[in-house]
Amino acid sequence: MASVTDTAKPDSRTAPSKPARLRQSWWLRWLPGSRLGRTIIALNVLGLAILIGGALVLNELRRGLVGARIDSLTTQGELIVNVINRAATVGEPTPQLDAGAASEILQILSNPRSQRARLFDARGRLIADSYWVADRVEWKVLPPARAREDAGGLSLDLNMGRPPPPPAAGAAQRTLAIEVSQAMRGAPVVGMRTAEDGERVVSVSIPIQHVQAVLGVLTLEASDVDEIIAAERAALAPFIMIAITVSILSSVLLNNLIAQPVRRLSKAADGVRLSRARAISLPDLARRDDELGDLTRSLEDMTQALSERMDAIERFAADVAHEIKNPLTSLRSAVETLDLVSDPAARDRLLAILKNDVQRLDRLVTDISNASRLDAELSREDVRALDLGRLIGEVAQLYQDTRRKGEPGVVFRVADTLEPIMVAGREGPLGQLFRNLIDNARSFSPPGGEVRVSLEPVRGEAIVLIEDDGPGIPVDNLETVFERFYTSRPKGSAFGGNSGLGLSIARQIAAAQGGTVRAENRSDGDGKVAGARFIVTLPEARR
């Protein structure tokens, strides 16, 4: 059964060691494709190769047996023909074949029972047959008697002779006659044909020649061809059984290796959907060193990432509700108190509070909306190589062009390099990253102060420094400043002027671009804190 859980997964994703992988697949590494594909190919080809190899071997054996049978009949026939030609030829100057002498020679040179020898004269008439010599009587099952009623009511079959030959016998006799006529031309004829009883026979017809005259034809037949074929089929049966067994075993193995694990993955995915679980956990499949193991680990990682994102969304929603509740509570209190206050100065203070809370709420909703759209923006825009110096320069110039009297200025310095500093990223989110950090630095800088931004390449990375002249960051808060909705302002600053999302968004964007953001304090010559410094590290694009 597939287990579905949202708890921490055991350490089952560790892939097998290299020696284990070598032991598992060393015998399949010569085949193309993946490990699982090589296994499928090898198992299916193995059974087919066994069957084809056995068939090829037995086909060659069959041809060899038939050829050897023909050679044997030809040798025997030539011997008998020579004897008959010398001992059974009479008449000068016109030689003739002595049928009686030839029949006696066939009786002396008796053939095995699996062979049949027939002797024909120059006119193609049968003058001797080894079945006669061996006193062998051809027999067949008689057809059922045809009832014929006579005057006395008796059913008699008066056909006392042999039954008429079957239709195949007439075709076999015509084939034999053609073979004999071809041999009458003076050349031996060999081949396979069907005999009168329907069996396949190997036939050799050799002419009996005296000088140039053809006195007759000797035909030798071997009727054991069917037995040879049956023996070949019997020999092929073990190969077929082995091939079937291998195919069945390979099917079962592939079912256990592929079909069942995929079914378990499907059930586990359905379990996540139906039971609203957070993650898939199949440790035994994740330990496999093949594509299904890779798929299982990918699904586990994917569901784990989705679970973490859902947790982050839940925490974000809780934080948003908490942050929105504060200005709403202040607004409610001010509205309820406004009707009870008659002093104009007090009413003006309440109206200022209402205005401040509305602005705070508007800023909070805007920042929350930007933070919620951040993931979509990061996934929507394609990553490309960007000139980081140009991007930061445009952002700094925009601040300088829109600067009001008394606001801190923004100064950008870039290291002297022969080539521009290129990074792989998304222009929109990266611009928001630097705007958030510059806005944060300006909010802590004194009136008329300066925010300094510098860029330089260091060992394949682009380092961006953003420095201000503010009070700095408490040492205990160097990391907590990047948490959502965290705000820490010096005494005397306006309450609610920041939502606490700017630095959190900046770190999230940097992480999505493969970089980092961290904070530290600057010190002057006396060791006192002279301001804060944010360090952004982004990987340079490969050239």
Side-chain angles (χ1 to χ4, degrees):
M1 296 292 292
S3 60
V4 181
T5 179
D6 56 355
T7 59
K9 294 178 288 185
D11 188 16
S12 62
R13 302 188 183 194
T14 303
S17 62
K18 185 176 181 181
R21 291 196 297 268
L22 292 176
R23 287 194 300 269
Q24 291 173 2
S25 58
W26 67 266
W27 59 283
L28 293 173
R29 290 186 180 274
W30 61 275
L31 288 173
S34 61
R35 289 184 295 272
L36 197 55
R38 289 195 295 264
T39 304
I40 294 174
I41 293 174
L43 291 176
N44 284 286
V45 169
L46 180 60
L48 186 60
I50 292 174
L51 185 59
I52 293 177
L56 289 177
V57 170
L58 289 179
N59 283 338
E60 293 295 332
L61 178 62
R62 176 180 178 180
R63 288 201 244 353
L65 290 175
V66 173
R69 203 74 180 93
I70 292 176
D71 293 341
S72 175
L73 291 178
T74 302
T75 302
Q76 296 178 30
E78 290 176 350
L79 175 61
I80 297 175
V81 165
N82 290 333
V83 174
I84 292 176
N85 188 25
R86 292 179 179 274
T89 302
V90 296
E92 288 293 344
T94 302
Q96 293 182 354
L97 191 63
D98 187 350
S103 178
E104 291 179 359
I105 292 173
L106 282 180
Q107 184 177 6
I108 296 173
L109 302 176
S110 58
N111 293 278
R113 296 184 61 85
S114 61
Q115 295 181 8
R116 183 176 184 178
R118 282 184 276 197
L119 188 60
F120 299 87
D121 61 10
R123 296 182 180 180
R125 295 177 298 182
L126 181 63
I127 59 176
D129 193 334
S130 63
Y131 281 6
W132 302 342
V133 174
D135 196 19
R136 175 173 174 178
V137 179
E138 295 188 75
W139 64 275
K140 290 183 180 292
V141 178
L142 294 176
R146 290 175 295 182
R148 185 174 60 187
E149 295 183 359
D150 54 7
L154 297 176
S155 178
L156 298 176
D157 186 2
L158 300 179
N159 185 11
M160 302 301 295
R162 290 186 176 181
Q173 292 174 359
R174 287 193 297 272
T175 304
L176 177 60
I178 293 173
E179 183 177 326
V180 171
S181 64
Q182 291 176 350
M184 287 290 184
R185 299 172 186 173
V189 178
V190 299
M192 293 185 64
R193 57 182 175 80
T194 304
E196 290 83 348
D197 55 0
E199 292 183 349
R200 285 181 295 179
V201 296
V202 178
S203 176
V204 176
S205 295
I206 303 175
I208 303 174
Q209 290 182 283
H210 188 80
V211 189
Q212 296 296 329
V214 178
L215 306 181
V217 174
L218 174 67
T219 299
L220 294 179
E221 301 173 358
S223 60
D224 54 356
V225 178
D226 290 334
E227 287 79 1
I228 295 175
I229 296 175
E232 291 176 4
R233 291 176 178 173
L236 186 61
F239 293 95
I240 296 176
M241 295 304 298
I242 293 174
I244 293 174
T245 302
V246 172
S247 298
I248 293 175
L249 291 178
S250 64
S251 300
V252 173
L253 183 60
L254 293 177
N255 178 70
N256 293 334
L257 289 177
I258 299 176
Q260 294 301 327
V262 171
R263 186 185 181 96
R264 290 183 58 195
L265 284 175
S266 176
K267 289 184 177 180
D270 291 339
V272 172
R273 176 176 58 86
L274 297 175
S275 63
R276 299 182 182 274
R278 291 292 183 90
I280 294 176
S281 179
L282 297 173
D284 55 332
L285 293 182
R287 284 193 293 266
R288 289 179 51 165
D289 185 28
D290 54 24
E291 283 75 8
L292 282 176
D294 295 338
L295 175 61
T296 303
R297 289 189 291 271
S298 298
L299 288 176
E300 289 182 347
D301 292 340
M302 180 189 70
T303 54
Q304 185 67 25
L306 291 175
S307 177
E308 293 174 357
R309 181 169 296 184
M310 292 172 64
D311 292 340
I313 292 174
E314 291 175 356
R315 291 193 300 267
F316 182 74
D319 293 340
V320 167
H322 176 73
E323 292 297 324
I324 292 179
K325 187 175 182 181
N326 290 334
L328 288 177
T329 302
S330 178
L331 282 171
R332 178 181 178 183
S333 300
V335 170
E336 291 176 351
T337 308
L338 187 62
D339 294 337
L340 303 177
V341 176
S342 58
D343 184 13
R347 291 179 64 88
D348 291 340
R349 287 195 299 271
L350 287 176
L351 290 175
I353 293 174
L354 288 173
K355 182 179 179 180
N356 185 42
D357 285 340
V358 169
Q359 292 177 349
R360 178 187 174 192
L361 189 60
D362 179 70
R363 185 183 302 107
L364 186 62
V365 171
T366 301
D367 290 343
I368 291 172
S369 176
N370 293 334
S372 63
R373 292 199 306 267
L374 182 60
D375 284 341
E377 292 177 355
L378 290 175
S379 61
R380 187 181 301 116
E381 190 174 351
D382 294 334
V383 176
R384 59 187 181 89
L386 299 174
D387 185 351
L388 191 59
R390 180 192 59 80
L391 176 61
I392 300 177
E394 292 177 354
V395 173
Q397 187 62 40
L398 179 63
Y399 278 102
Q400 287 297 100
D401 295 341
T402 58
R403 178 186 178 189
R404 297 179 181 178
K405 185 178 179 180
E407 292 182 346
V410 178
V411 179
F412 174 57
R413 299 184 182 90
V414 60
D416 294 333
T417 57
L418 297 177
E419 296 180 353
I421 301 175
M422 307 295 293
V423 297
R426 302 170 178 87
E427 185 172 358
L430 282 177
Q432 183 180 359
L433 162 66
F434 295 114
R435 286 195 300 271
N436 288 358
L437 294 177
I438 293 174
D439 286 338
N440 181 81
R442 294 181 71 200
S443 67
F444 284 96
S445 296
E450 185 181 76
V451 174
R452 294 167 297 279
V453 182
S454 61
L455 170 64
E456 61 178 345
V458 178
R459 294 188 298 274
E461 294 180 333
I463 307 298
V464 182
L465 303 180
I466 302 172
E467 300 176 343
D468 61 45
D469 297 326
I473 305 172
V475 178
D476 296 338
N477 295 337
L478 290 176
E479 279 297 319
T480 56
V481 294
F482 294 101
E483 294 179 0
R484 283 195 303 265
F485 302 110
Y486 175 84
T487 56
S488 177
R489 294 280 154 179
K491 293 181 180 180
S493 60
F495 176 75
N498 298 87
S499 63
L501 287 174
L503 296 182
S504 174
I505 292 174
R507 173 167 279 189
Q508 186 177 356
I509 294 174
Q513 310 296 325
T516 60
V517 178
R518 61 185 180 89
E520 64 182 17
N521 290 317
R522 294 190 307 107
S523 301
D524 56 13
D526 298 333
K528 296 181 180 180
V529 176
R533 178 189 294 122
F534 289 89
I535 304 171
V536 181
T537 303
L538 296 172
E540 285 193 79
R542 295 181 179 179
R543 299 183 187 275

